[in-house]
Amino acid sequence: MSDAPRVPEWPKYRLDQLGSIARGRSRHRPRNAPHLYGGQIPFFQTGDVKAADFWLTQHTQTYNAAGLAQSKLWPAGTLCITIAANIADTAILAIPGCFPDSVIGFLPDPDKSDVRFVKYLLDTKKASFQAASRGTTQDNLSLEKLLTFELGVPSLSLQRRIADILSAYDDLIEICERRIRVLDGMARALFHEWFVLFRYPGAPHLHIASPIGGIPAGWHVASLGDHIRLETGKRPPGGAVGAVNGVPSVGAENVNKLGRHDYSAEKYVPREYFAAMTSGVVRDRDVALYKDGAHIGRSTYFRDGFPHAEFAVNEHVFLLRTTSDQLCTNHLYLWLQDPQTVQTIRSRNANAAQPGVNRGAIESLLLALPPRSIGHRFDRLVEPVLAAVVAFARQADVLRRTRNLLRPRLLSGKIPLETADPGNADLAATV
């Protein structure tokens, strides 16, 4: 007789049996109707849902009154489900907002379902939803397809207990992310003061003319290529392999709308291929610049073995590595993050079909460099801030991976609830 615990058989329901569900509403895309945008009403798009871990607060567009009039304002607590572009990503509105018809909104029946539980349950079914959405021209998960799925759902009290455990992990992740945003904002603000406004301790009142405008006396303008080594990577013909036998390969798909690394899009190259690569292998403190496609001009800083101790970039990414003590890596990273630098890079598009920049366009970028003493002083000030960003990002990653391991087991009843509590010291052995 088997000693294995019995897995419960929970009743099955469609989403419309657990609450109300409908597509978002937006008759016009931003590029086609700019008169609807720029107000105070959050307008969440599929990329914003993808970028969110749990609660949806960050957005890149807003509606004005005219935009709201042709859309719909959804309340906080609405579960957003993407059905086009990126399929089956989910997040819960933390604030009221609008979203387009490429996003489905679900409002739970308070007597039947907990919205947090439903989100976690849908996340475990993501691969099935994506398989059902594959089409001949463009992937699309219609509302009708979504409602063909039946989901095993326990009693409301058990839903809440499971959601409480999983959301404890998400609350800890959000604390890390909030600290990251504060620290990142501090680093950028300090860079702006010193290198854009030139307001640093001991700054001279006298400015001199330069090819990029007035700069403090004692500074000089240099081409970026004189202070960095630039290289790019590649992937083998036929694409990537699985995680077990491969090394992570970073491409534009790994950067979400907030400029953060997206592990769900991770691809891998064979280990023997990685070992033979002569360029594009990431070293500690390399800066990656995404050089074409929708992510052109976005950059990422790899340091202290995070996000991976061993990984590479593909042919759509430049690696920038400082070669001069006049340009510290922290300075390089924050300069590439500056909106003016991003705009300049995007303006140097060299491709007719797909937006992109070439090596020469990047190496010829001009930047103002201070005397070594000032540059090194800035580096010492900003280093602990950026180191803390990496530490919190690593902590959030551990929490996220643990939550993802627990989620399917909790949602199928295969693991006791008390075992999965975040405070359980034996949790690692369990999962």
Side-chain angles (χ1 to χ4, degrees), residues 38-350:
Q40 300 298 316
I41 302 157
F43 178 62
F44 297 99
Q45 301 176 80
T46 56
D48 301 318
V49 178
K50 184 178 182 65
D53 254 316
F54 188 85
W55 296 108
L56 188 51
T57 59
Q58 303 292 313
H59 48 87
T60 53
Q61 285 282 358
T62 56
Y63 269 149
N64 54 30
L68 176 61
Q70 54 86 59
S71 187
K72 173 182 178 179
L73 187 67
W74 294 78
T78 300
L79 174 61
C80 298
I81 310 161
T82 61
I83 60 171
N86 38 286
I87 305 293
D89 289 317
T90 67
I92 300 173
L93 287 183
I95 55 176
C98 301
F99 46 79
D101 57 5
S102 54
V103 177
I104 284 175
F106 170 80
L107 287 167
D109 182 330
D111 296 323
K112 296 180 180 178
S113 63
D114 183 298
V115 70
R116 300 169 302 163
F117 178 90
V118 174
K119 174 194 161 32
Y120 291 127
L121 187 56
L122 295 185
D123 288 345
T124 66
K125 305 293 183 182
K126 185 174 181 178
S128 298
F129 294 145
Q130 291 177 337
S133 70
R134 294 194 180 103
T136 55
T137 55
Q138 182 177 4
D139 291 352
N140 187 279
L141 178 65
S142 66
L143 178 57
E144 292 73 19
K145 288 180 182 177
L146 186 60
L147 293 179
T148 63
F149 286 86
E150 291 189 325
L151 309 168
V153 180
S155 66
L156 184 57
S157 62
L158 186 51
Q159 289 181 52
R160 288 171 177 161
R161 289 176 63 195
I162 293 172
D164 285 345
I165 291 171
L166 291 173
S167 63
Y169 287 93
D170 278 302
D171 289 344
L172 292 172
I173 291 169
E174 175 55 29
I175 290 171
C176 291
E177 294 291 343
R178 194 180 307 129
R179 290 172 175 171
I180 288 170
R181 289 193 292 270
V182 170
L183 291 165
D184 186 67
M186 289 172 55
R188 295 184 192 218
L190 185 64
F191 174 85
H192 191 76
E193 283 288 309
W194 283 49
F195 293 94
V196 178
L197 301 178
F198 303 118
R199 296 195 298 224
Y200 56 90
H205 295 292
L206 177 64
H207 281 203
I208 59 175
S210 81
I212 59 174
I215 60 175
W219 289 49
H220 71 282
V221 172
S223 296
L224 180 62
D226 293 337
H227 296 273
I228 64 163
R229 176 184 173 183
L230 186 151
E231 61 183 54
T232 189
K234 58 182 178 178
R235 284 179 182 159
V241 297
V244 175
N245 300 313
V247 175
S249 173
V250 175
E253 69 274 5
N254 295 109
V255 179
N256 60 34
K257 276 200 169 184
L258 303 182
R260 304 295 299 279
H261 193 83
D262 177 18
Y263 296 96
S264 66
E266 207 84 85
K267 290 184 171 60
Y268 299 80
V269 297
R271 182 161 293 280
E272 58 273 17
Y273 183 88
F274 173 80
M277 291 181 67
T278 57
S279 68
V281 174
V282 177
R283 300 180 187 174
D284 187 37
R285 295 180 179 251
D286 279 353
V287 177
L289 176 67
Y290 301 87
K291 65 188 185 73
D292 52 32
H295 300 288
I296 180 175
R298 293 180 181 172
S299 54
T300 306
Y301 192 3
F302 303 121
R303 51 178 288 166
D304 304 329
F306 187 81
H308 302 287
E310 189 177 53
F311 61 116
V313 298
N314 73 0
E315 63 273 15
H316 302 290
V317 181
F318 282 136
L319 282 182
L320 282 67
R321 193 172 295 143
T322 58
T323 58
S324 163
D325 65 353
Q326 288 187 303
L327 178 62
C328 301
T329 306
N330 290 333
H331 178 179
L332 171 64
Y333 166 68
L334 292 167
W335 177 72
L336 286 170
Q337 292 283 307
D338 185 75
Q340 183 60 50
T341 305
V342 174
Q343 182 178 345
T344 300
I345 291 172
R346 289 177 176 171
S347 71
R348 295 194 170 194
N349 173 33

